Amino acid sequence: MTTRRPEGHGSARQPPERADDLLRAWLPEGTVGLSILGDLYEEYDELVDRGAPAPDAWFWKNALALSARYALLKTKAGISNTDSMGGAVMELMSTLMTDVRFGLRMLAKTPLLSAVAVITIALGVALTTHTFSSVYGAILRGVPVPGHERLVYVGENRLEMGISDMEMSVHDFEDLRAQQTSFEDVGAFYQGTVNVAGEAGPPERFAGAYVSGNLLDLVGIQPIEGRLIRSEEEGPDADPVIVIGHHVWQNRFAGEPGVVGRMIRVNGVSTEIVGIMPEGFRFPFLEDVWLPHRVDANALERGQGSDFDVVGRLREGVSLSAAQAELSTVAARLEQTYPESNGGIGMIAYPYTDRFMPQEIQAVIWVMLAATFGVLLIACTNVANLLMARASIRSKEIAVRTALGAGRWRVIRQLLIESLVVATLGGAVGVFMAWLGVDAYRRVVADIYKPYWIDFRMDVPVIVFSLAVTALAAVAAGMLPALRASSLKIGEHLKDESRGASSLRLGRLSHALVVSEIAVSCALLIAAGFMIRSVVNLNNVDLGFETERVLTGRLGLFENDYPDPSAREQFFLQLEERLTAQPGIESAALTSSLPGLGGGWYYMSVEGVSYPTDADHPVILTSFVTSDFFRTLGVEPSQGRVFDPLEARGGGDPVAIVNESFAQTYLSGTPVLGERLQLGLPRSERPWHRVVGVVPDMHVGGNVGGIGDDLERPERAFFPFGAIDLSFASFAVKTRDDPESLAPSVRTLVAELDSNLPVYDLLSLERAIDDATWAFSLFGSLFTIFGAAALFLAAVGLYGVMAFGVSQRRRELAVRLALGAKPNALVRMVVGNGAGQLALGILIGVGLGAVMSRSMRVMLYGVETDDPVVYGSIVLTLAATGLLACVLPARSATRTDPVQAMRGD
Amino acid sequence: MIAGAVYKVYHEVDIVDSGGDVSRNGYLGEFEQMVLLAILQGGEDANALQVRRELETSAGRTVTKGAFYTTLDRLEKKNFLTWKARVPDEGRRGLPQRHFRVTPQGLDELRKSRAALVNLWRGLDEVLDTA
């Protein structure tokens, strides 16, 4: 059934889409299936019209029942169709079915225990599958281009200056292209915004890649119409061309045929559309359009011009390390030939996707997968314990079977199949839960700006993985009890009427399982605890500025429309004036970068300090701001003053403002005000700026999840907006009411200044910062869920084992009571046994947790990995939960009537 | 008592029918009979919903959709019923609706089953009424 889901006619309400998909997957093809679906719709609409309760639940129930039915029929038809094998397979199936049916009957006899076992496995499988879908979607699947594993990123480094990875200059790229032999080809790109106007509709801003002529060819994807960019189109004199993405074609050009060959205005230049890329192609990151880079290396002096991201495709049979060796040779040669520009510069290569998914984040994702395997391990341990408990009740039944001639393997098989039945049921529920979870997760992260190949879905490898995990769970949970139960000494068990010393008791093995279970959940909870603390810290972090009622946005001016610096300055000045005059706005400011969202790093020199080498200069996160910047963010200078409007425009004496950390680190021992700073290295010959003010530290952010550098390098400097020539700038305005309600009028205002100029990232500052810290909230909440699941499972497991142990000792306890033992003393004795296991488990768990939290240090914010609060609270929670799980069954045992307990068995 | 018996038989049919051919011995299974009779009760152009509702009112209990539709498929395969599909002018979001008819072979089969049952019931009225 592949027909599209029809729109509703009579009833506005739609049946649940997922259930609908399920039906379409399993109902028969053609009219039969469609008519059954039609019947369901008809009844569903009737229910809705009648106002019946929960029509969606009704639809789900029927969808599940019908799909299961037809799935079973299809499977059977598939098996009996393979003629030669058919007979043998059916024979085996029928033996197995007998075992399965028996297993189901046994499970039905102890419904509560079975339900707990099934839910336990379901939780384990769901969490593991869900995390694996993240690992697969983010790391393993890779870029969807042919031979993606041979795609390599080539960067440069300058280790002596602590730069481990940087982009490559255009000259180095050209030399590399000419000299290398390890790659089939190397291509280059840089990313930038592309403004498309002229056609019908408002001007629109797209994410674009400015590429070398061979790049798209090297990637290996052909256009669906037209052609790719050609090498001869790289130069600045070639006719301008653009290749557009499928979605741009669909959205901007309504999918019209004949778009190829049309002229449009791109960044103010008339440009020909030469090709359309296939749907979903967004290489190198999340691009909409592709243009030639139009940089001529020959026209530039070495060291000048833009830097490139470089991509190579390894030749068949050439390893990454062989390529790396060649790159080192090329770099050494360049260093020798051009010592001035290339001194100390090396070349490095690594898998392309690592460029956008840093190793640290990959490590965190792998740790998460390990963590979920921990949860699965707990789940299996629980089920093993439950099954063992049951096997011990059944020790007599098993002894009888063995005495009657059942082989050891036959007994093992029966018990294994029982655990397989539990695992299959749990696995099915778990995969279903994972499916819902992955879907929800996918929707949550849909709008996050991330590489185009990262997508979370239940595709074949993920499903195969979940099946493997289920099988693993079945064997892990079933093997131990089965082996133990089958190695009984028959005679003793047949004789043994009471549950004495020789019966199959929950022995050392079971206790070891409980201890390891507590240890694993303790470790997971510690990891979760650190993540939760980080999220809490992040939410409560003192940003040092006000985010309420601030609307922000960003603009980029294009060379063609604003060819010289004064035109750009003129535009920005006008913008600031108009924003300030706008009703509903209290103050407005322009800045090169917004606080909380990163910024640019600049070399700095302090007057009177000598720096032996370039690397000794401080490198400072610097913003260029207008006079009302601090007022708009509610920041008061702690010393001195802020820029006046003239200074902000770059007029008058050059001035600067620093934050308190800067003053402490670099200007200590002197009166700060009046000190002079120079932007860049001394040879830049920029003017010296006199420090006129000191402001409190403001969180600037900009690293993983919007945090990072702040803590280690909190020094900041602010220069007048007019101190350098900017073509991109952000604005921030303090509004009287809800900031986002002002967005439309700000858009109109910009359009009045320049109708070709799109405004982007128009968001309240609060939202902009929230967006930047998504990774934290996401990982934090995932770890919290894992931790909670682990705690729940550990408590259930401990309770189950303790309750069973106590019920086995009921008689003994009754005798003790009858002989005059105090109930409280008995409770203490029973709890004492459990407490020992609990203590040992927690001890091991704390050690494991310490190792785990160290590996996720990069994701932690404002909390040390030996934080006693985290350890203390987790140990207390776990101890309290564990003791409760011991006390409850012990108390209930001492409350029963001794006479009854001794008699009944 | 009788309702209890019907219930039991129905469930056995329900379980067995996923296993294959119910009427190996030439007779219709009870649920199959009920479905064919309900189609006849529904008149010329009975559709699936009408047939199922007829079954539910006559038998006084719910019929699972899985059992119902797979039984229809099986009866069609045995040539005991045919159907024609039509797309109604409104409702059903444009999806087709099947209208069922019992074939002459189906009618024959029903007659045979009735004859067999009537024979078996003969003379048992007293026993069964008091039971």
Side-chain angles (χ1 to χ4, degrees):
Chain A
M1 305 247 328
T2 48
T3 28
R4 290 180 79 89
R5 181 181 159 86
E7 291 305 313
H9 294 292
S11 158
R13 186 166 169 159
Q14 290 286 333
E17 198 171 333
R18 295 280 147 210
D20 191 271
D21 291 346
L22 191 69
L23 282 168
R24 284 167 191 277
W26 289 109
L27 286 181
E29 295 276 332
T31 313
V32 174
L34 289 177
S35 71
I36 295 176
L37 200 59
D39 290 346
L40 281 179
Y41 283 159
E42 196 174 331
E43 281 194 86
Y44 176 82
D45 289 343
E46 277 175 28
L47 289 177
V48 172
D49 291 345
R50 234 190 309 140
D56 285 355
W58 175 90
F59 195 87
W60 259 116
K61 192 188 95 191
N62 282 294
L64 286 173
L66 273 170
S67 314
R69 186 87 174 193
Y70 277 99
L72 195 68
L73 280 179
K74 272 189 192 168
T75 320
K76 283 207 165 158
I79 291 170
S80 50
N81 279 347
T82 51
D83 278 341
S84 54
M85 290 288 290
V89 172
M90 287 306 274
E91 182 71 36
L92 184 67
M93 284 284 286
S94 100
T95 333
L96 283 179
M97 281 309 281
T98 317
D99 280 346
V100 169
R101 237 173 266 152
F102 186 75
L104 280 171
R105 270 211 295 281
M106 291 308 298
L107 290 177
K109 272 189 186 167
T110 50
L112 191 67
L113 188 132
S114 310
V116 169
V118 168
I119 292 172
T120 305
I121 295 275
L123 266 178
V125 170
L127 288 178
T128 329
T129 303
H130 188 279
T131 316
F132 181 74
S133 82
S134 308
V135 170
Y136 189 74
I139 302 175
L140 299 179
R141 192 188 292 119
V143 189
V145 301
H148 64 88
E149 65 287 344
R150 289 192 286 131
L151 229 44
V152 164
Y153 185 88
V154 186
E156 292 189 329
N157 60 18
R158 196 160 194 178
L159 296 176
E160 79 202 45
M161 285 173 69
I163 301 171
S164 59
D165 193 359
M166 58 185 193
E167 289 150 8
M168 198 180 283
S169 76
V170 58
H171 297 96
D172 289 1
F173 166 63
E174 292 298 347
D175 288 333
L176 173 69
R177 179 140 78 159
Q179 295 179 21
Q180 65 82 22
T181 56
S182 303
F183 301 94
E184 283 176 8
D185 204 354
V186 287
F189 67 87
Y190 66 88
Q191 291 163 282
T193 50
V194 177
N195 190 21
V196 170
E199 280 280 324
E204 221 172 321
R205 168 213 170 233
F206 292 106
Y210 296 82
V211 301
S212 63
N214 62 341
L215 182 83
L216 295 178
D217 229 357
L218 175 159
V219 170
I221 300 283
Q222 290 306 311
I224 50 168
E225 233 180 283
R227 60 173 177 86
L228 297 175
I229 292 163
R230 294 184 182 133
S231 289
E232 60 268 26
E233 284 161 346
E234 266 180 30
D237 303 325
D239 289 334
V241 295
I242 185 170
V243 170
I244 61 173
H246 186 270
H247 61 288
V248 175
W249 178 46
Q250 290 297 322
N251 299 337
R252 172 105 195 160
F253 300 97
E256 284 172 56
V259 165
V260 170
R262 201 181 283 184
M263 303 300 285
I264 53 172
R265 264 173 71 82
V266 175
N267 296 347
V269 179
S270 177
T271 305
E272 184 189 353
I273 301 178
V274 293
I276 303 171
M277 294 309 281
E279 196 172 354
F281 181 82
R282 310 288 296 270
F283 193 87
F285 187 82
L286 192 63
E287 262 45 66
D288 304 310
V289 297
W290 298 265
L291 301 108
H293 62 61
R294 299 169 72 89
V295 175
D296 182 6
N298 296 326
L300 292 164
E301 218 173 293
R302 215 173 170 94
Q304 302 283 302
S306 354
D307 290 336
F308 283 121
D309 286 294
V310 175
V311 185
R313 181 179 279 278
L314 285 174
R315 269 182 212 285
E316 206 83 65
V318 174
S319 70
L320 189 58
S321 53
Q324 176 63 65
E326 193 194 14
L327 288 174
S328 302
T329 322
V330 172
R333 207 179 297 146
L334 291 178
E335 195 174 349
Q336 232 168 20
T337 326
Y338 311 103
E340 281 210 355
S341 61
N342 284 55
I345 292 184
M347 285 189 184
I348 43 163
Y350 47 85
Y352 179 72
T353 45
D354 284 9
R355 171 74 178 166
F356 303 101
M357 186 48 101
Q359 295 286 350
E360 292 90 342
I361 300 274
Q362 290 193 23
V364 172
I365 299 179
W366 285 112
V367 169
M368 269 171 46
L369 188 63
T372 47
F373 265 104
V375 175
L376 185 70
L377 190 68
I378 297 175
C380 292
T381 312
N382 271 351
V383 174
N385 255 333
L386 289 171
L387 291 177
M388 248 176 15
R390 226 186 35 201
S392 77
I393 302 174
R394 285 167 62 190
S395 47
K396 237 170 106 183
E397 172 214 323
I398 291 166
V400 171
R401 279 161 153 249
T402 317
L404 291 176
R408 184 176 151 92
W409 167 236
R410 186 73 188 73
V411 171
I412 292 181
R413 192 175 84 182
Q414 176 56 46
L415 288 170
L416 259 187
I417 279 185
E418 279 180 48
S419 74
L420 193 67
V421 169
V422 170
T424 310
L425 290 174
V429 177
V431 169
F432 182 68
M433 281 162 65
W435 182 42
L436 295 179
V438 169
D439 209 55
Y441 187 57
R442 187 185 189 188
R443 251 173 276 158
V444 168
V445 300
D447 292 333
I448 291 170
Y449 182 65
K450 60 184 188 316
Y452 80 106
W453 58 86
I454 292 186
D455 184 20
F456 307 110
R457 49 176 195 256
M458 290 287 278
D459 45 12
V460 176
V462 178
I463 290 171
V464 168
F465 174 85
S466 64
L467 292 181
V469 163
T470 306
L472 188 77
V475 175
M479 209 50 167
L480 279 179
L483 283 176
R484 250 184 99 76
S486 65
S487 63
L488 294 172
K489 296 201 175 73
I490 306 163
E492 279 180 29
H493 278 272
L494 290 177
K495 272 185 294 184
D496 185 13
E497 267 303 315
S498 69
R499 298 220 156 77
S502 63
S503 81
L504 173 68
R505 284 225 313 222
L506 292 168
R508 248 174 288 165
L509 185 62
S510 181
H511 288 166
L513 286 180
V514 172
V515 169
S516 56
E517 187 174 332
I518 294 167
V520 172
S521 38
C522 179
L524 283 179
L525 284 168
I526 287 172
F530 278 114
M531 283 309 296
I532 296 167
R533 283 226 43 190
S534 299
V535 173
V536 170
N537 285 346
L538 199 68
N539 287 338
N540 297 332
V541 73
D542 180 15
L543 293 170
F545 56 89
E546 288 171 14
T547 56
E548 301 88 33
R549 293 189 291 121
V550 177
L551 178 73
T552 65
R554 199 162 170 83
L555 292 159
L557 303 180
F558 296 103
E559 291 260 335
N560 266 72
D561 297 337
Y562 300 89
D564 55 284
S566 66
R568 292 192 276 271
E569 197 192 331
Q570 193 55 35
F571 172 86
F572 283 128
L573 272 179
Q574 271 187 2
L575 177 68
E576 193 192 11
E577 262 171 38
R578 297 284 289 270
L579 282 172
T580 315
Q582 181 83 2
I585 290 181
E586 287 176 7
S587 66
L590 298 178
T591 168
S592 58
S593 55
L594 285 165
L597 301 167
W601 296 86
Y602 287 82
Y603 279 115
M604 203 78 60
S605 318
V606 178
E607 198 176 29
V609 179
S610 66
Y611 303 97
T613 69
D614 289 357
D616 294 317
H617 285 268
V619 178
I620 304 295
L621 234 174
T622 305
S623 300
F624 300 87
V625 302
T626 58
S627 52
D628 269 348
F629 176 77
F630 295 102
R631 187 156 80 90
T632 304
L633 296 167
V635 176
E636 289 286 327
S638 51
Q639 290 182 53
R641 57 174 180 88
V642 298
F643 304 138
D644 66 37
L646 178 71
E647 287 166 346
R649 280 199 290 276
D653 257 0
V655 286
I657 293 171
V658 297
N659 72 354
E660 277 161 7
S661 292
F662 187 103
Q664 241 160 43
T665 314
Y666 298 109
L667 307 174
S668 61
T670 58
V672 178
L673 300 181
E675 282 288 306
R676 299 209 306 165
L677 304 175
Q678 188 186 34
L679 196 60
L681 299 169
R683 60 174 170 274
S684 73
E685 290 176 4
R686 287 172 182 276
W688 288 94
H689 290 251
R690 185 166 47 87
V691 176
V692 293
V694 178
V695 291
D697 284 3
M698 290 157 71
H699 174 91
V700 173
N703 212 0
V704 178
I707 59 130
D709 289 319
D710 260 29
L711 297 172
E712 282 153 36
R713 291 196 282 178
E715 300 85 15
R716 307 281 175 257
F718 301 89
F719 284 76
F721 188 77
I724 57 167
D725 170 28
L726 292 165
S727 38
F728 280 80
S730 295
F731 58 80
V733 295
K734 182 84 176 177
T735 60
R736 295 210 170 84
D737 304 302
D738 171 32
E740 295 198 357
S741 69
L742 246 83
S745 56
V746 168
R747 235 180 246 287
T748 316
L749 186 151
V750 173
E752 280 166 16
L753 282 175
D754 180 346
S755 62
N756 278 336
L757 202 65
V759 184
Y760 53 95
D761 296 343
L762 197 57
L763 292 171
S764 70
L765 187 55
E766 272 172 330
R767 192 125 72 88
I769 291 174
D770 277 352
D771 280 3
T773 52
W774 66 273
F776 258 87
S777 324
L778 194 67
F779 289 128
S781 49
L782 280 180
F783 267 102
T784 313
I785 292 171
F786 297 159
L791 180 63
F792 169 74
L793 291 177
V796 166
L798 197 60
Y799 176 80
V801 171
M802 289 310 294
F804 184 78
V806 169
S807 78
Q808 294 287 79
R809 290 172 67 185
R810 233 179 193 152
R811 243 190 198 196
E812 175 209 324
L813 294 177
V815 171
R816 284 175 187 259
L817 269 181
L819 291 177
K822 293 237 164 58
N824 279 347
L826 287 186
V827 170
R828 267 202 299 280
M829 181 186 82
V830 172
V831 170
N833 284 350
Q837 296 172 47
L838 197 59
L840 186 59
I842 289 177
L843 199 69
I844 301 173
V846 165
L848 276 178
V851 174
M852 236 170 114
S853 51
R854 268 190 186 91
S855 72
M856 45 191 264
R857 191 181 279 151
V858 65
M859 292 299 296
L860 301 183
Y861 179 78
V863 52
E864 289 301 315
T865 49
D866 54 3
D867 186 63
V869 178
V870 171
Y871 283 99
S873 54
I874 299 304
V875 168
L876 279 180
T877 311
L878 203 58
T881 317
L883 284 177
L884 196 67
C886 298
V887 170
L888 289 179
R891 281 173 62 102
S892 85
T894 53
R895 281 199 189 136
T896 46
D897 176 14
V899 181
Q900 216 172 24
M902 277 190 283
R903 198 187 294 145
D905 192 16
Chain B
M1 186 65 204
I2 290 179
V6 170
Y7 180 77
K8 220 170 173 177
V9 171
Y10 161 68
H11 266 267
E12 270 161 29
V13 170
D14 191 25
I15 291 165
V16 176
D17 78 358
S18 60
D21 191 2
V22 183
S23 55
R24 257 186 288 248
N25 51 12
Y27 286 102
L28 284 168
E30 183 178 13
F31 190 57
E32 292 180 328
Q33 277 188 50
M34 288 168 72
V35 170
L36 287 178
L37 290 170
I39 293 175
L40 291 170
Q41 293 283 359
E44 268 299 275
D45 265 344
N47 65 42
L49 280 184
Q50 287 165 344
V51 174
R52 200 161 52 77
R53 282 182 183 154
E54 176 64 41
L55 268 174
E56 289 186 336
T57 23
S58 311
R61 62 188 153 74
T62 48
V63 174
T64 67
K65 292 189 182 56
F68 175 65
Y69 285 111
T70 48
T71 304
L72 286 175
D73 294 347
R74 204 165 50 242
L75 289 168
E76 186 196 349
K77 238 178 248 163
K78 292 177 182 168
N79 279 329
F80 294 163
L81 63 78
T82 61
W83 50 260
K84 277 186 189 141
R86 253 175 261 151
V87 178
D89 295 335
E90 57 178 40
R92 297 177 67 84
R93 294 147 211 246
L95 290 177
Q97 186 167 41
R98 286 189 291 168
H99 298 272
F100 296 92
R101 191 172 290 186
V102 179
T103 61
Q105 290 101 305
L107 287 173
D108 269 356
E109 210 59 34
L110 279 173
R111 285 191 196 103
K112 268 197 256 170
S113 293
R114 184 177 59 175
L117 284 173
V118 166
N119 278 335
L120 284 167
W121 275 85
R122 198 177 302 134
L124 293 178
D125 287 356
E126 205 174 308
V127 183
L128 286 161
D129 280 347
T130 54

